[in-house]
Amino acid sequence: MKNVFKFLMLLGVCASINLACSSDDSLDTTDNDDTSEETGITELSSAFEQFSDAVIVTLSDDGTEIYIETTGYPNHTSIYWDPSNSLYIDEPTVTKTTQDTYIGGGTGEAASFTVDATPNLTGATVATELNTIGIAVSGASIFNDQEGGGDLDQAAGSLDFNGAHKGPGVYHYHLEPRTISNDDEELVGILLDGVFIYGRKCNSTGTYPTDLDASGGHTSITQYEDEALYHYHIINEEYNAPLYGYDEAIVLFAGPFQGY
Ligand SMILES: [Zn+2]
Ligand SMILES: [Zn+2]
């Protein structure tokens, strides 16, 4: 008992020393040549201008982090809107997840995230999780290629024209969202590791990139950046989703993250 108490005391002392040290460091940045320190950016990428009014993007004061808030509501049509909403369309081939679930009728649809202004591209990867992994330019969530821990096959019949559906929570895309990007080079969104994701083609060549890593990423210029930066593409590979009501199914992002 006594030892545990001593340990906690020691921990407390260490924590205060750390605090003191880090505030000293921050006063002393002029003689600090440590290039591994994260340096801030001064301006948000013009890619953020492509995001809908549902999304608010703010750069932190020190330029190292970007705060992203969204209502979670897409700015396009879907069977998942309430029939009284002007964006509601009937999609006869879609079997809704539940009949009384509609966009704006759930809880937890609004969300906010902080991403690194400069993705941490060390070569280490992080697996995606069964939740929001990114925000699309439409304002809605991006999910990976899994549904409830299994593959998408069983849920494929509930995916709408944009490869999205809604459970009790947020409306989210699993497949290439065709209203945003349909076999082209359009910006699709930003993932939670701070890396943008584009359609199946790259603006740098106008065609399907051939140098993608396992996550669909590569480094080249895009329509929104003058310098070559790392970004993802939707991997140009058809996904066999037997129950899907539309012609073609392309997984949006299966991971892993490269930028954490
Ligand atoms: Zn889902
Ligand atoms: Zn590219």
Side-chain angles (χ1 to χ4, degrees):
M1 212 37 193
K2 207 174 167 188
N3 281 338
V4 171
F5 181 69
K6 260 191 185 162
F7 176 69
L8 287 175
M9 282 288 287
L10 198 64
L11 214 62
V13 171
C14 290
S16 1
I17 289 170
N18 270 336
L19 275 177
C21 286
S22 54
S23 48
D24 281 348
D25 280 351
S26 63
L27 292 172
D28 196 25
T29 48
T30 42
D31 355 295
N32 190 348
D33 278 337
D34 184 0
T35 48
S36 70
E37 284 283 315
E38 197 173 354
T39 50
I41 60 171
T42 53
E43 207 178 345
L44 284 170
S45 167
S46 64
F48 283 111
E49 290 164 18
Q50 302 305 307
F51 284 69
S52 81
D53 292 343
V55 183
I56 297 169
V57 181
T58 314
L59 183 62
S60 67
D61 289 343
D62 66 1
T64 61
E65 290 179 324
I66 299 170
Y67 305 112
I68 302 173
E69 285 177 62
T70 180
T71 62
Y73 304 159
N75 61 352
H76 56 66
T77 58
S78 171
I79 191 176
Y80 283 97
W81 283 103
D82 183 84
S84 66
N85 190 293
S86 61
L87 291 175
Y88 171 84
I89 52 164
D90 188 22
E91 298 185 72
T93 59
V94 175
T95 308
K96 282 181 68 178
T97 36
T98 59
Q99 286 312 309
D100 55 352
T101 293
Y102 56 90
I103 298 163
T107 53
E109 295 179 276
S112 61
F113 304 94
T114 302
V115 306
D116 285 346
T118 307
N120 199 13
L121 299 162
T122 58
T125 59
V126 174
T128 56
E129 292 180 5
L130 296 172
N131 207 328
T132 294
I133 61 164
I135 296 297
V137 295
S138 68
S141 273
I142 295 170
F143 274 41
N144 65 13
D145 62 339
Q146 304 283 298
E147 179 73 16
D151 64 28
L152 260 184
D153 290 352
Q154 289 188 6
S158 68
L159 297 173
D160 66 11
F161 176 76
N162 286 299
H165 63 178
K166 179 178 160 60
V170 70
Y171 174 85
H172 57 268
Y173 307 106
H174 286 285
L175 304 177
E176 176 183 56
R178 277 178 280 205
T179 299
I180 300 172
S181 176
N182 189 358
D183 194 20
D184 56 33
E185 58 194 50
E186 294 296 322
L187 177 69
V188 174
I190 187 166
L191 300 190
L192 299 189
D193 61 352
V195 178
F196 288 110
I197 182 166
Y198 289 81
R200 287 188 257 158
K201 293 177 180 167
C202 188
N203 179 260
S204 60
T205 56
T207 187
Y208 307 118
T210 54
D211 58 345
L212 300 181
D213 61 25
S215 305
H218 73 161
T219 301
S220 78
I221 59 160
T222 68
Q223 57 270 53
Y224 301 113
E225 311 282 356
D226 298 330
E227 57 172 324
L229 290 177
Y230 183 81
H231 57 271
Y232 299 120
H233 285 280
I234 296 173
I235 292 178
N236 184 37
E237 200 172 277
E238 193 147 359
Y239 169 66
N240 181 23
L243 297 173
Y244 189 47
Y246 294 93
D247 288 343
E248 199 174 33
I250 309 281
V251 165
L252 178 41
F253 186 78
F257 292 116
Q258 301 279 345
Y260 267 125

